[in-house]
Amino acid sequence: MEPFEYVVVLTSLILGLGIAQILTSVADIFSNLKNVNIGYTHTLLVMVVFALHIQEWWYSYQYAHQVEVWTLPLVLFLLIYPISLFTLARMIFPTGLRGHETDLEAYYYDQWKWFYIIFLFTPIISLLQNMIISGYGIQTQVLQIALALVILSFLVFKIKNRIAHITFLCIQILIWIIAMFADNTQL
């Protein structure tokens, strides 16, 4: 087994746990649909977090060609992003002590600051990984910088406006869809 394959297995396991968390929670919601208030904002967040999991899984293959020497600090640095995504996937659905909640829209607005704090790590980690490991310049990281600034703005200014949250999440989905069709990265 090549070193990259060894690393990508662990990355895929973490991402798989996040995807399983999302899919299991969505299945739980559909199995109890008459007792659950889904809501647009929460649904959009679920879609964004799911898309980020798939995107990370797809792009993690690039490291097979970019990294020549694998070290434990490098692997730990690469694992921070999927761990952040798993944490988000686990947090976006009420579980444990909050597992009795059935209004997911109210849950979103009650917990959005915590979601966004973890979410803020994703563009920052992505930016650092792109620059340190992939060798991309700061000028190519406009989307990561813009995303971090918008998330930070929501947190600093405590933006609770429903339309602002929905718009922000819709724009992320739209950017993800455009990037997916514009991307010609092959395995």
Side-chain angles (χ1 to χ4, degrees), residues 4-34:
F4 168 74
E5 293 167 343
Y6 191 68
V7 172
V8 82
V9 166
L10 183 55
T11 302
S12 296
L13 282 170
I14 296 167
L15 292 170
L17 287 170
I19 291 170
Q21 179 68 44
I22 293 168
L23 296 178
T24 301
S25 297
V26 168
D28 288 346
I29 289 168
F30 281 118
S31 71
N32 195 25
L33 200 53
K34 66 181 178 181

Side-chain angles (χ1 to χ4, degrees), residues 52 69 115 159:
L52 288 172
V69 178
F115 301 152
I159 299 172

Side-chain angles (χ1 to χ4, degrees), residues 38-112:
I38 297 173
Y40 293 113
T41 318
H42 184 266
T43 300
L44 290 169
L45 180 64
V46 170
M47 291 169 58
V48 166
V49 173
F50 182 78
L52 288 172
H53 275 77
I54 299 300
Q55 182 181 36
E56 174 62 9
W57 169 78
W58 180 255
Y59 284 114
S60 66
Y61 190 76
Q62 71 184 343
Y63 297 124
H65 308 290
Q66 294 176 348
V67 177
E68 293 182 21
V69 178
W70 291 93
T71 63
L72 184 57
L74 175 65
V75 171
L76 293 174
F77 181 54
L78 286 174
L79 290 178
I80 294 170
Y81 193 85
I83 289 170
S84 297
L85 290 179
F86 170 79
T87 304
L88 263 176
R90 180 77 173 136
M91 288 174 61
I92 60 176
F93 294 97
T95 58
L97 297 176
R98 298 196 65 143
H100 65 281
E101 293 189 35
T102 57
D103 188 341
L104 297 177
E105 195 75 353
Y107 176 72
Y108 172 91
Y109 286 104
D110 185 48
Q111 297 294 310
W112 76 268

Side-chain angles (χ1 to χ4, degrees), residues 107-141:
Y107 176 72
Y108 172 91
Y109 286 104
D110 185 48
Q111 297 294 310
W112 76 268
K113 290 177 201 161
W114 295 109
F115 301 152
Y116 279 45
I117 288 170
I118 300 298
F119 199 18
L120 180 59
F121 288 117
T122 60
I124 294 170
I125 295 165
S126 176
L127 181 127
L128 292 172
Q129 287 179 346
N130 288 343
M131 291 174 60
I132 295 169
I133 298 170
S134 302
Y136 298 144
I138 190 84
Q139 68 278 6
T140 64
Q141 306 300 304

Side-chain angles (χ1 to χ4, degrees), residues 3 6 35 49 111 153 170 184:
Y6 191 68
N35 298 320
V49 173
Q111 297 294 310
S153 296
C170 283
N184 59 4

